[in-house]
Amino acid sequence: MLISTKGRYALRVMADLAEHPAEDYVPLKEIAQRQEISEKYLEAIIKTLVKAKMLRGVRGKGGGYKLTRPPEQYTVGDILRLTEESLAPVACLEEDASPCGRAAFCPTLPLWQGLDRVINEYLDSIALADLLKQGRRSLP
């Protein structure tokens, strides 16, 4: 499993918006500047987040983006599962994987299933709000 720039940037965007809670919407240009991400690339990421209703966007003067829920209600796992093709450590555990003919007698399958469980439990245990606190101290 390798987290792509899309997943990493999505986390940064969400954390940026959580750090700048305002009644007003935050313009894309401001987020891009603070995070040093190209506006064009950021547009594609934000589109995914808006479609999933993680962000709300408004166009025009005074427009921009903001979170739809408090930062405590988003998990890193939710954000990464949305932006990544898969978090599975091996192909046979991916969501749309074809059934493996070796699964019944594969000696390594329990290992990969356990790793998959640990990865998902860990990512789901960290809220977006925790990322903001992490800047001041380490995660568990």
Side-chain angles (χ1 to χ4, degrees):
M1 173 191 75
L2 184 66
I3 304 298
S4 69
T5 55
K6 185 176 182 181
R8 294 192 320 267
Y9 289 178
L11 284 173
R12 285 172 46 191
V13 166
M14 296 293 285
D16 185 283
L17 289 170
E19 270 187 319
H20 298 91
E23 293 299 315
D24 297 329
Y25 288 82
V26 179
L28 176 76
K29 186 174 187 169
E30 284 182 25
I31 301 166
Q33 287 174 343
R34 281 194 296 259
Q35 295 303 317
E36 299 178 346
I37 302 171
S38 121
E39 281 185 58
K40 187 147 180 83
Y41 191 45
L42 195 55
E43 284 175 1
I45 294 168
I46 285 183
K47 184 178 179 180
T48 300
L49 296 168
V50 168
K51 187 176 179 182
K53 297 187 182 352
M54 289 191 170
L55 297 180
R56 180 176 303 121
V58 172
R59 293 180 183 248
K61 186 174 179 174
Y65 299 91
K66 65 180 175 179
L67 301 177
T68 58
R69 304 185 304 256
E72 296 79 15
Q73 293 181 9
Y74 296 91
T75 70
V76 169
D78 290 338
I79 297 165
L80 290 178
R81 276 189 289 278
L82 177 66
T83 57
E84 297 299 311
E85 288 184 25
S86 174
L87 295 179
V90 291
C92 65
L93 295 179
E94 290 179 358
E95 191 174 312
D96 297 332
S98 300
C100 176
R102 298 182 46 81
F105 55 90
C106 178
T108 62
L109 183 58
L111 167 79
W112 302 127
Q113 289 170 326
L115 179 57
D116 187 51
R117 185 175 52 256
V118 168
I119 289 168
N120 282 286
E121 286 174 1
Y122 177 69
L123 294 175
D124 287 337
S125 75
I126 302 170
L128 185 58
D130 296 329
L131 294 180
L132 303 180
K133 295 174 197 168
Q134 180 221 336
R136 300 168 216 23
R137 62 175 178 78
S138 297
L139 288 173

